[in-house]
Structure formats: C-alpha cells, structure tokens
Amino acid sequence: MGRSGIEVSALGLGCWAIGGEWSGPGGEPYGWGAVDDEESVRAIRRAVDLGVNFFDTADNYGTGHSERVLGRALGARRDDVVIATKWGKLFQEETRTAVGGADDSVAYARRALTASLKRLGTDHIDLYQLHIGDAEPERAAQLRDACEEFVREGLIRTYGWSTDDPARAALFAEGPHCAAVQHRCNVLQDAPEMLALCAELGLASVLRSPLAMGLLTGKFSGGRVPGAGDIRSAPPAWLPGFGTGGGADPEWLGRVDAVRSVLTGGGRSLAQGALAWLWARSPLTVPVPGFRTVAQVEENVGALEYGPLTEGELGEVERILGEARGVDGE
C-alpha cells in the first residue's frame, strides 16, 4: 500500500454496490439496485478465503449500510484484512438518502471517523480517504493534518484522497502517512498523469470504476438496461458511458467490442482482461471492482491467475483505442 509498508492483495473489492438501495436529494437512485445482505456476507468471506485482503467502502455507501455489512462479514477475521473507507459526503442513515453537499471541516472528519469505526465494528481504519474530490486545497491541507493526528491517536494507519486531480493528490501526499490516492482508471478511461504521480511519490493507485461501471464485463452488449434503483438507470453527469434512458452508450460499447479479442486472450473473461490491463499499466495499481454475488467475486479474483497483460497486448489495446478515438473525433 504505497509507502505505508502495509501489504495488500493485488486485487481489492469495492463495496459500493453492497450498500443496497439509497437515493439522492431528488429521489434519484444512488445505489446499484436491491441486494441480498446474506449473499454479500458470503461473497466477502469467499473473497477472503481466495486471498483478497483489501476492501474499500465509504460511510455514505447505502448511507452506512455497506460499512455495517462489511463489518459483520469480517467479524473475527478483521485483523486478517485491510479496510479502507471514506468520509465527507453528507447523508441521513435513517431515511437512506444523501442530503446533498459535503462537510470539509476537521470537526466533521472526527465525527465521521467515530461513526465509521462503530459501523465497521473495529478500533481502527487502515486507509482513511477524503471523499470530496474537489475540496479546496487550503481546507484539504487542514484535513491532511487532522489525519496525521488520527494516526498518532491510533484511529487510522494511513490516509489518502479520492480525487481525479493529480495536484490535489500531491497536496495530500505531503503528509508522511499518506499512502494512496483513489482515482478512476479503466481501459476506456486511462489516467496517465495520476499513474505517473503515484510512481513519482510512491503512492498506491487504488482504482475505482476499474470495469467502467459494468461496461467492461460485457453484460450490457446485448442491449440490457439497468433496473430501477440502479444509478446507471438515471446516470448523473459524472457517470459517462450510459444514456439518460439507462442504456449503454453505443460508442463506448463499440470500443469494448474493438478490444474484446485482446482482453480475452489466453482464456480470460472480458472482466479479467480489463483487470489485467490495469496491472500492466502500473505495478502500483490496486483495482477495486464492485460485487454483489459470490460468482462475481470468484470471476474477478480469477484474474489473479492470469496476471497482467503482456507489453505487446497493452500496446495493441492502445493502438486499437487510438484508432477508435480518431474515428470518434476525440
């Protein structure tokens, strides 16, 4: 885990989806649809059995529900794993709604940390991450210093920022116990500047949306539309690749089809190939694909058996996508 000395599996798991259904201020879906908590628990325990020891969640996923499920699933095995969570987004746990906005105060950071520790059933967080991607640098510097105090108190081991801005990530990295940046990166949305920063500063690159919100699993190729209660059925502006009607963008699907044969070479599934591409991009990457079932966990963990794409395969994907971008005029 970056410069922290904490060892994590090459693949983590993202726990947004297991938070279940919750909504935004206007009633719009913020979750991934209905989930079975018992299946979520089985999936987490299966992942641990298969060697996954890194789980990434956030206090607002399911307005606290994801943290509660993760804590219950791990139970006595908590010390066998590395838990990452995030803070900053405002929500009401009782009504399962996001109330809009964020709180970047130091006082709120401490309250949020205390609440997350309780929901997770633990006395410390391994990686605590600021969840306000566009927080003002001056306020972020104060929060970085607060995280250093949390480390001194033994409440967290390391911290990071969930942001797609390399300059903001670099600001947090000035703290001696900053170990990671969480950012978006996948075959369809590369992040060369952030990967370069992580290499320069020795930060772990925790990758959210490694499967492009499901587009790189292949399940939307046949015209399948996300169901009600799924954020992809009414995607916000920051979620590209899906139309307002919930269907996948044909241009994005075309790019997936263009690289499918390379990603699935050697017996990989499409999702496994997409994860292999990320490992080939940088040895510092720790993708955290989401999951709702044991089967999804098993498929994702199966990517570890194949390892990263070869240099030749990586170059071929770039060549194909470069041609596609030229055709699209991007």
Side-chain angles (χ1 to χ4, degrees), residues 59 62 84 93-94 109 152 160 180 186 220 227 268 276 287 290 322 330:
D59 61 1
E93 191 166 355
E94 299 78 11
R152 286 190 289 271
N186 57 61
F220 292 105
R268 293 182 175 96
E330 296 182 3

Side-chain angles (χ1 to χ4, degrees), residues 96-286:
R96 295 184 72 91
T97 58
V99 298
D103 191 330
D104 62 0
S105 69
V106 170
Y108 182 76
R110 183 173 290 277
R111 292 199 303 274
L113 175 56
T114 300
S116 286
L117 290 170
K118 182 177 181 180
R119 284 189 291 263
L120 286 162
T122 185
D123 61 358
H124 70 279
I125 305 290
D126 298 294
L127 175 64
Y128 201 42
Q129 302 160 104
L130 176 59
H131 206 185
I132 310 171
D134 59 353
E136 291 298 323
E138 182 178 345
R139 298 287 279 182
Q142 296 173 2
L143 293 171
R144 179 197 63 209
D145 294 344
C147 284
E148 286 292 332
E149 178 59 30
F150 297 155
V151 171
R152 286 190 289 271
E153 294 177 24
L155 299 175
I156 67 174
R157 297 173 71 192
T158 62
Y159 59 89
W161 195 341
S162 180
T163 180
D164 292 317
D165 180 2
R168 284 180 164 85
L171 173 68
F172 242 45
E174 293 176 10
H177 290 92
C178 180
V181 56
Q182 181 163 158
H183 63 98
R184 181 175 61 194
C185 188
N186 57 61
V187 173
L188 305 177
Q189 299 165 292
D190 200 358
E193 292 183 3
M194 191 68 88
L195 293 175
L197 179 78
C198 289
E200 176 187 351
L201 301 180
L203 299 175
S205 174
V206 180
L207 301 182
R208 67 173 183 270
S209 196
L211 301 179
M213 303 292 283
L215 293 176
L216 288 165
T217 66
K219 63 184 177 184
F220 292 105
S221 298
R224 176 181 167 187
V225 176
D230 189 319
I231 192 170
R232 295 168 294 186
S233 67
W238 54 262
L239 200 168
F242 292 87
T244 55
D249 186 315
E251 288 187 2
W252 286 61
L253 288 180
R255 296 173 197 173
V256 173
D257 288 338
V259 297
R260 184 185 298 269
S261 63
V262 181
L263 296 181
T264 57
R268 293 182 175 96
S269 70
L270 180 59
Q272 290 170 343
L275 294 171
W277 181 87
L278 292 168
W279 290 322
R281 283 293 285 115
S282 167
L284 299 174
T285 57
V286 186

